[in-house]
């Protein structure tokens, strides 16, 4: 079964500093029909004006992954980490027993475009931790690149959950297909471009939840970028 989530049906917060789309209930957007998908609790698409962001705030018991698509994010936390995450880089925070952090767009004239994903960990507690890594290689196209996983496979960031996150950057006309486990759940999010998912058209901002399926096939009808989250 495939359930599609139209980009225009998402919740939205449109302010002077941040324009955010929420695939699932978040902050002031509450939709009992869209509270998450398996261990995937939050999937936000944010655009942040220069100099703006979120002041210091706290989280507990959540795996928070930020994918910077354009611009940059300046990160600070109470673990002592201070970093700039640029386009093509991915950040992972394991909140564990508690972490406080701030995020802002350090640019002077470019809006930051990012995805933020929250994964519910397999077990609660544990010390908070932080990682970031670049996955932007323009020559590494037309295949799945693992960016986060429970076992850190292929040099990916490590999650405290049996989940795998991968990105594919596709040339127009390319099809990538893979067998999938019908007992697991899969979320597909179109980051950019136009694709066909098992024959159904999707475009930037669209999402889809796959359950009880055995094949995932994506055909790029233009240059495209796609996020896949494999969930227990």
């Amino acid at each position: 079964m495939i359930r599609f989530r139209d980009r225009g049906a998402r919740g939205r917060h449109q302010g002077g500093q941040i324009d955010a789309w929420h695939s699932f209930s978040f902050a002031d957007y509450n939709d009992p029909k869209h509270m998450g998908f398996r261990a995937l609790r939050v999937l936000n698409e944010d655009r942040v004006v220069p100099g703006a962001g979120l002041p210091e705030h706290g989280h507990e018991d959540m795996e928070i992954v930020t994918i910077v698509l354009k611009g940059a994010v300046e990160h600070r936390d109470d673990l002592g980490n201070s970093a700039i995450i640029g386009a093509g880089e991915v950040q992972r925070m394991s909140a564990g027993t508690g972490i406080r952090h701030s995020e802002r767009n350090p640019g002077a004239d470019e809006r930051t475009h990012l995805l933020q994903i929250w994964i519910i960990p397999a077990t609660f507690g544990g010390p908070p931790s932080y990682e970031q890594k670049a996955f932007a290689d323009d020559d590494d196209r037309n295949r799945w690149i693992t960016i986060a996983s429970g076992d850190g496979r292929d040099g990916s960031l490590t999650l405290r959950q049996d989940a795998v996150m991968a990105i594919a950057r596709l040339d127009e006309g390319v099809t990538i297909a893979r067998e999938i486990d019908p007992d697991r759940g899969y979320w597909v999010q179109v980051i950019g471009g136009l694709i066909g998912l098992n024959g159904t058209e999707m475009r930037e901002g669209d999402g889809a939840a796959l359950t009880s399926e055995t094949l995932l096939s994506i055909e790029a009808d233009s240059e495209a970028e796609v996020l896949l989250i494999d969930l227990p």
Side-chain angles (χ1 to χ4, degrees):
M1 179 174 69
I2 304 179
R3 292 184 289 115
F4 291 93
R5 182 75 160 125
D6 184 88
R7 60 198 178 281
R10 296 174 294 174
R12 190 177 190 184
H13 168 79
Q14 190 172 21
Q17 296 187 334
I18 300 177
D19 185 6
W21 290 93
H22 310 308
S23 294
F24 306 109
S25 294
F26 184 83
D28 294 334
Y29 169 59
N30 182 36
D31 182 348
K33 295 181 179 179
H34 296 94
M35 296 300 298
F37 174 63
R38 298 197 177 209
L40 173 59
R41 176 58 188 87
V42 168
L43 200 165
N44 293 340
E45 181 181 7
D46 298 344
R47 290 175 172 85
V48 185
V49 301
L54 295 174
E56 184 178 293
H57 60 286
H59 299 284
E60 295 180 359
D61 292 323
M62 198 65 68
E63 301 295 286
I64 302 173
V65 177
T66 301
I67 304 170
V68 180
L69 306 173
K70 185 178 180 181
V73 170
E74 181 182 23
H75 167 90
R76 297 181 185 273
D77 63 43
D78 62 357
L79 301 180
N81 295 301
S82 177
I84 300 293
I85 305 99
E89 291 188 283
V90 183
Q91 172 204 77
R92 187 272 301 156
M93 286 192 302
S94 291
T97 53
I99 189 170
R100 295 190 63 81
H101 74 113
S102 64
E103 312 282 341
R104 65 183 288 271
N105 175 359
D109 53 17
E110 182 178 40
R111 287 201 304 173
T112 294
H113 183 197
L114 61 87
L115 294 180
Q116 188 171 97
I117 300 104
W118 293 13
I119 302 287
I120 300 169
T123 57
F124 292 157
S129 62
Y130 177 91
E131 281 184 290
Q132 75 180 71
K133 186 173 181 179
F135 293 93
D137 185 345
D138 289 338
D139 294 328
D140 201 2
R141 301 179 62 82
N142 303 318
R143 70 176 188 92
W144 291 111
I145 301 167
T146 305
I147 62 171
S149 64
D151 56 8
R153 70 188 64 172
D154 302 325
S156 63
L157 305 177
T158 305
L159 301 170
R160 296 175 182 177
Q161 178 56 273
D162 178 23
V164 181
M165 299 174 58
I167 284 178
R169 302 179 181 97
L170 305 175
D171 296 323
E172 182 176 355
V174 168
T175 297
I176 55 173
R178 58 185 286 179
E179 294 182 355
I180 57 177
D181 185 343
D183 293 328
R184 292 178 67 87
Y186 299 82
W187 184 271
V188 173
Q189 186 73 22
V190 183
I191 296 173
L194 180 67
I195 69 164
L197 170 62
N198 289 16
T200 297
E201 182 179 283
M202 298 176 66
R203 62 184 64 235
E204 181 176 339
D206 287 343
L210 290 80
T211 53
S212 303
E213 295 284 329
T214 59
L215 179 69
L216 186 152
S217 176
I218 292 176
E219 180 181 359
D221 296 322
S222 69
E223 280 199 3
E225 187 169 2
V226 183
L227 171 68
L228 174 64
I229 309 176
D230 173 355
L231 297 153

